[in-house]
Amino acid sequence: MESYDVKLYVYDLSRGMARQMSLPLLGKQLEGIWHTAVVVFGQEYFYGGGGIECCQPGGTVLGSPDSVEELGQTQVTEDIFLEYLSGLGEDAFNGERYHLFKHNCNTFSNEVAQFLTGRPIPAHITELPDEVLATPFGQMILPLLEGMQVSAAGGRPVGTRGSSNLQ
């Protein structure tokens, strides 16, 4: 059975500002504000306020990733994967369910990584929102950030069942 490489593209949305400003603001050092995407079958898949999207690897406005994590191999076929994404996009990961702290790109990447490889993405990425919210500053800015949506513009929607853009 054929296997395919699965990678995690990691982007620092703060472009280094988190590393510089987190200690005085939060009282703890953060290395970045992470956006992640899963790269498999020659495409980069990510989630934001627009739902599940894809593009050529590194093809969003974020440019090249800050780091690439090898997640392992999958034997899931591309057709099965696209059917899986279609199901996720109809419910759990439609754009309306996006939440900056609780249900975001990293939640999506973690879900997809486990489906494809049986392993989660690194915990320092998935635990970041809770770390920020555990600080007094995090609690103070939470009301300001509650309704924010982040999307790595430059992708195209991944279709729902029956759509022709599942290619």
Side-chain angles (χ1 to χ4, degrees):
M1 184 171 248
E2 197 168 355
S3 59
Y4 308 92
D5 291 331
V6 181
K7 297 178 181 175
L8 183 72
Y9 275 29
V10 182
Y11 301 88
D12 176 10
L13 294 176
S14 77
R15 305 269 190 210
M17 291 297 290
R19 193 174 306 112
Q20 294 174 351
M21 303 297 294
S22 59
L23 191 57
L25 288 175
L26 299 174
K28 69 182 319 163
Q29 184 67 44
L30 301 180
E31 293 304 310
I33 304 297
W34 309 121
H35 166 77
T36 59
V38 173
V39 175
V40 65
F41 306 115
Q43 291 289 300
E44 179 174 344
Y45 295 91
F46 54 94
Y47 174 66
I52 300 171
E53 298 183 57
C54 67
C55 65
Q56 292 295 314
T60 69
V61 296
L62 300 174
S64 297
D66 292 292
S67 67
V68 176
E69 306 260 346
E70 301 288 337
L71 294 177
Q73 301 263 306
T74 189
Q75 293 182 337
V76 172
T77 66
E78 186 172 9
D79 287 342
I80 290 172
F81 178 63
L82 291 174
E83 185 69 21
Y84 167 75
L85 287 184
S86 178
L88 288 181
E90 287 178 359
D91 187 31
F93 288 95
N94 68 41
E96 291 148 13
R97 292 195 178 227
Y98 181 87
H99 186 278
L100 185 62
F101 286 101
K102 298 176 184 148
H103 194 73
N104 56 37
C105 59
N106 302 320
T107 312
F108 171 77
S109 293
N110 193 49
E111 177 87 19
V112 170
Q114 289 183 65
F115 174 77
L116 291 171
T117 68
R119 294 193 319 245
I121 67 172
H124 75 273
I125 294 171
T126 56
E127 294 171 357
L128 181 64
D130 290 336
E131 284 184 53
V132 171
L133 293 176
T135 68
F137 186 75
Q139 286 298 303
M140 186 176 78
I141 63 169
L142 180 61
L144 299 172
L145 301 176
E146 272 294 310
M148 280 187 70
Q149 294 187 356
V150 176
S151 187
R156 64 186 183 286
V158 172
T160 56
R161 292 181 210 280
S163 295
S164 60
N165 64 345
L166 272 177
Q167 301 158 5

